[in-house]
């Protein structure tokens, strides 16, 4: 029985179970996102307008405090002219978070503009493996009766080890609040640096191995710990006495998906995370508490098992194209569609429509790689028209989206 008078017991919009009430749709004015920008990114000029200035200032101040705590060398050194000329360029990326909420806020992230065209970096020094989405789906398919959880690390790349031998890098960036170019010394690689991903991956791997985990040879950044198997004394000492069962962790960059056989193992691992890293919050999958992971949503149905869906992503996709009330398609692509594309291959779309087609192609690829593997063949057939989008491609993509809408 749901007590409708209790806000915390209202019906969850995407589940048959109760959950916390969703935030009301915002009616306040938001900064205008850049044309073609992702993740609600806004320009510095737009973000510093008087009506948004305070939220932007708060976000930038918060980011600079984190950088001062974890990445900047605060020695008041003044760069020489040569150091200023050779400084790595950076920029303050500003994005709107919780745009559908009254309590929307601005997020600032200082990133390096470490472009390969300006600085060559050996791929061996920048490559960082991530679990394939196929391996992640297989793991989740076998985890319906287990304890599944995740956590949100605070600026994970800034929690990697510092440079050795006193090395540092000068970074220059424009501060939209002070309207000045500032110079800071970095003690480690930050977001945007070519080597940052690998250094973070090495940091996380070293910690996982110290706990006794083994990294899979055929799936990078996936780890297994069998507490019942023989192990070295050092790794056994890191675990509480009597801990049994198996723990599997699939870490996609800085987003770990944690699968444990029992609650004790889950509690121990999350405590270990807290002791080593700065964690914003932990999320535990239950019937009444779905969790967000890498853009998808994981739920536990009342009758058991585990489900992964992209419902919200698909709804946004439909809203952006005015297809909220469309009929579902039985097949994502048909022979007639492919024949039409082949016959019109020389009738190119305008530059504007071609951009829309490529963007939609990318969104279709995301669905095929995550929750709709049956779209993979259709995406592959349509993707060959990405270089030169032709007449009929947009209609074909809409058919594939209608199929996804009917298979949420």
């Amino acid at each position: 029985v749901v007590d409708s008078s209790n806000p915390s017991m209202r019906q969850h919009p995407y589940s048959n179970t109760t959950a916390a009430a969703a935030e009301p749709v915002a009616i306040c004015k938001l900064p205008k996102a850049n044309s073609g920008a992702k993740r609600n990114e806004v320009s510095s000029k737009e973000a510093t307008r008087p009506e948004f200035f305070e939220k932007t200032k708060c976000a930038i101040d918060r980011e600079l405090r984190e950088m001062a705590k974890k990445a900047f060398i605060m020695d008041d050194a003044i760069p020489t002219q040569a150091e200023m000329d050779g400084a790595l360029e950076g920029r303050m990326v500003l994005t709107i978070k919780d745009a559908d909420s009254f309590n929307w806020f601005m997020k600032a992230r200082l990133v390096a503009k470490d472009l390969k065209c300006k600085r060559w970096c050996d791929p061996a020094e920048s490559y960082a493996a991530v679990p394939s989405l196929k391996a992640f789906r297989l793991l989740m398919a076998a985890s319906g009766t287990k304890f599944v959880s995740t956590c949100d690390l605070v600026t994970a790349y800034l929690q990697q080890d510092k440079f050795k031998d006193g090395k540092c890098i000068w970074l220059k960036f424009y501060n939209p609040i002070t309207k000045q170019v500032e110079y800071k010394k970095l003690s480690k690689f930050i977001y945007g640096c070519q080597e940052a991903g690998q250094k973070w991956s090495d940091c996380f791997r070293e910690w996982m191995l110290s706990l006794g985990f083994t990294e899979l040879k055929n799936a990078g950044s996936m780890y297994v710990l069998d507490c019942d198997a023989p192990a070295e004394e050092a790794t056994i000492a890191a675990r509480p006495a009597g801990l049994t069962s198996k723990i599997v962790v699939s870490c996609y960059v800085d987003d770990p998906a944690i699968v444990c056989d029992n609650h004790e193992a889950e509690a121990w691992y999350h405590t270990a995370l807290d002791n080593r890293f700065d964690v914003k919050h932990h999320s535990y999958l239950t019937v009444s508490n779905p969790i967000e992971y890498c853009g998808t949503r994981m739920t536990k149905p009342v009758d058991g098992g585990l489900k992964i869906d992209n419902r919200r992503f698909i709804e946004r996709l439909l809203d952006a194209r005015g297809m909220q009330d469309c009929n579902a398609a039985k097949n994502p692509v048909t022979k007639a569609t492919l024949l039409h594309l082949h016959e019109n291959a020389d009738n190119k779309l305008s530059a504007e429509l071609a951009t829309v087609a490529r963007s939609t192609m990318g969104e279709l690829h995301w669905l095929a790689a995550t929750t709709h593997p049956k779209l993979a063949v259709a995406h592959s057939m349509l993707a060959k028209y990405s270089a030169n989008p032709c007449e009929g491609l947009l209609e074909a993509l809409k058919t594939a989206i209608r199929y996804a809408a009917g298979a949420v």
Side-chain angles (χ1 to χ4, degrees):
V1 177
V2 178
D3 180 7
S4 60
S5 64
N6 184 350
S8 66
M9 292 293 287
R10 291 176 187 160
Q11 196 74 10
H12 195 278
Y14 300 129
S15 173
N16 292 327
T17 59
T18 57
E23 291 283 350
V25 177
I27 58 174
C28 55
K29 187 176 181 181
L30 297 174
K32 183 180 179 181
N34 291 339
S35 176
K38 297 181 179 179
R39 303 185 309 278
N40 292 329
E41 182 179 337
V42 297
S43 66
S44 298
K45 181 178 179 180
E46 178 71 13
T48 52
R49 288 171 54 184
E51 59 266 43
F52 310 127
F53 183 84
E54 286 303 321
K55 289 195 175 187
T56 302
K57 182 178 184 302
C58 180
I60 291 177
D61 288 346
R62 180 169 55 247
E63 174 66 5
L64 292 179
R65 283 197 302 270
E66 284 294 318
M67 294 292 291
K69 187 192 307 181
K70 298 176 179 176
F72 290 160
I73 299 176
M74 307 299 289
D75 58 1
D76 298 326
I78 299 176
T80 63
Q81 186 61 47
E83 290 172 332
M84 292 171 66
D85 294 339
L88 177 65
E89 288 189 46
R91 73 185 186 102
M92 195 69 72
V93 179
L94 300 167
T95 53
I96 306 168
K97 306 296 288 186
D98 291 345
D100 295 332
S101 167
F102 276 109
N103 298 319
W104 71 271
F105 62 97
M106 196 76 74
K107 178 180 178 180
R109 175 62 55 82
L110 181 58
V111 301
K113 296 167 64 176
D114 191 10
L115 305 178
K116 291 183 179 180
C117 61
K118 293 187 176 181
R119 184 179 75 91
W120 185 85
C121 177
D122 190 333
E125 297 178 359
S126 61
Y127 173 75
V130 295
S132 69
L133 292 170
K134 182 184 295 184
F136 170 72
R137 289 200 302 264
L138 288 172
L139 174 62
M140 292 299 107
S143 305
T145 60
K146 299 181 180 181
F147 292 79
V148 180
S149 57
T150 185
C151 71
D152 186 10
L153 299 172
V154 180
T155 51
Y157 278 22
L158 301 187
Q159 300 191 51
Q160 61 185 263
D161 298 328
K162 295 184 178 181
F163 297 135
K164 298 179 180 179
D165 304 325
K167 175 185 175 181
C168 69
I169 297 176
W170 279 101
L171 177 76
K172 65 178 179 181
F173 63 95
Y174 175 75
N175 188 329
I177 302 302
T178 62
K179 300 187 183 304
Q180 294 180 345
V181 175
E182 299 184 7
Y183 290 83
K184 299 290 184 181
K185 277 202 297 186
L186 297 176
S187 63
K188 61 181 67 173
F189 293 114
I190 64 171
Y191 288 92
C193 292
Q194 296 180 47
E195 300 92 338
Q198 186 185 92
K199 297 303 181 184
W200 159 250
S201 180
D202 291 344
C203 174
F204 188 78
R205 180 186 300 108
E206 181 180 350
W207 174 71
M208 292 289 285
L209 297 180
S210 71
L211 295 179
F213 281 85
T214 300
E215 185 175 15
L216 302 189
K217 295 182 182 295
N218 61 344
S221 207
M222 291 192 77
Y223 303 88
V224 178
L225 172 62
D226 189 348
C227 299
D228 299 322
E232 298 179 2
E233 292 185 4
T235 58
I236 294 177
R239 307 196 295 260
L243 185 65
T244 60
S245 79
K246 185 181 292 184
I247 304 174
V248 182
V249 179
S250 172
C251 190
Y252 195 90
V253 187
D254 58 354
D255 293 308
I258 306 151
V259 179
C260 303
D261 287 346
N262 56 48
H263 175 69
E264 290 73 19
E266 182 182 64
W268 168 75
Y269 184 76
H270 280 274
T271 301
L273 277 168
D274 277 329
N275 292 337
R276 172 60 181 86
F277 301 107
D278 187 5
V279 182
K280 184 183 297 183
H281 63 78
H282 301 269
S283 301
Y284 303 92
L285 180 62
T286 64
V287 172
S288 60
N289 183 52
I291 61 177
E292 302 285 338
Y293 182 76
C294 290
T296 64
R297 187 180 64 115
M298 290 191 282
T299 57
K300 254 188 182 307
V302 178
D303 56 355
L306 186 150
K307 291 183 179 180
I308 307 175
D309 70 68
N310 257 316
R311 180 184 290 270
R312 293 179 183 175
F313 180 85
I314 293 173
E315 287 179 349
R316 287 195 295 267
L317 198 60
L318 296 173
D319 289 343
R321 288 155 181 78
M323 298 171 59
Q324 300 92 329
D325 300 321
C326 68
N327 295 322
K330 185 177 180 180
N331 297 302
V333 68
T334 63
K335 290 182 180 179
T337 299
L338 296 176
L339 180 61
H340 180 71
L341 289 172
H342 177 73
E343 293 174 346
N344 290 275
D346 295 330
N347 299 328
K348 308 303 181 186
L349 294 178
S350 65
E352 182 179 357
L353 291 179
T355 299
V356 174
R358 294 188 183 102
S359 175
T360 306
M361 194 75 71
E363 292 166 326
L364 195 64
H365 177 261
W366 166 253
L367 291 174
T370 52
T371 56
H372 291 69
K374 290 184 178 181
L375 282 172
V377 174
H379 174 266
S380 177
M381 290 178 172
L382 299 177
K384 66 180 182 180
Y385 296 97
S386 294
N388 296 293
C390 62
E391 183 182 319
L393 182 58
L394 286 175
E395 288 71 20
L397 290 170
K398 285 184 178 180
T399 300
I401 292 173
R402 285 170 48 218
Y403 171 83
V408 174

